Amino acid sequence: MDMRRIVAVLAEEAEQQIHNQVWKPAPSECALAHETEMGLRKAVGPPDVQETLPQIDRLEHLREALAVLAISLARTHGRLAWFLSGAINALEPVLRWRALSSDRGGTFGTVLASLEEYTEAEEAVRRIQDSLARIAAG
């Protein structure tokens, strides 16, 4: 399953839980969801901006998005933490990417990602942003 699909499943589950009132986000969860959404929007911009950047910058932005998610995860528990954990897990392949050639020597298991993989990861981040906006709205 690709990153976009994993995130879509997470988003659908969150929306269903909120709709069915299984999950009623507390004000603190709404605030953290909003803060996280804004951090992700700052890290990964719109497609027309991201796609013009060099791969090394795109990778940096995706790593920043993962850092935003990880910091938010450390600040919460319960369903929001579970959602954030799932989002981090979906983006996990980004952690193995590198944008520089290896020249000589080992790469610690990292791989060069394709442009399509960068686009997929960025689209997944944008879907997470949208889900967090809905969570923030309660």
Side-chain angles (χ1 to χ4, degrees):
M1 198 179 302
D2 72 19
M3 288 181 246
R4 287 175 294 219
R5 184 69 195 134
I6 294 168
V7 169
V9 169
L10 283 171
E12 290 167 15
E13 183 177 354
E15 290 168 18
Q16 191 66 39
Q17 287 187 20
I18 291 170
H19 176 73
N20 293 341
Q21 296 187 356
V22 172
W23 180 16
K24 298 175 189 173
S28 61
E29 289 178 303
C30 292
L32 183 57
H34 177 71
E35 182 182 327
T36 306
E37 172 206 355
M38 298 311 295
L40 292 178
R41 288 193 193 284
K42 184 177 176 186
V44 174
D48 60 328
V49 172
Q50 287 300 123
E51 291 171 3
T52 63
L53 298 174
Q55 284 186 353
I56 195 164
D57 292 336
R58 290 176 81 176
L59 181 55
E60 179 181 319
H61 291 196
L62 288 166
R63 288 177 178 163
E64 286 177 21
L66 278 163
V68 167
L69 291 167
I71 290 167
S72 294
L73 174 60
R75 296 174 50 203
T76 192
H77 301 283
R79 293 185 192 281
L80 181 57
W82 304 339
F83 175 82
L84 294 171
S85 177
I88 292 168
N89 187 56
L91 295 172
E92 183 271 335
V94 172
L95 296 173
R96 293 188 309 268
W97 294 354
R98 61 183 164 82
L100 302 174
S101 66
S102 64
D103 294 330
R104 290 173 281 158
T107 63
F108 302 98
T110 59
V111 297
L112 294 170
S114 68
L115 291 176
E116 293 81 20
E117 288 172 310
Y118 280 101
T119 299
E120 177 188 336
E122 291 160 353
E123 288 173 358
V125 169
R126 288 186 201 96
R127 181 69 160 107
I128 295 166
Q129 293 167 359
D130 294 342
S131 293
L132 287 167
R134 286 195 261 313
I135 293 167

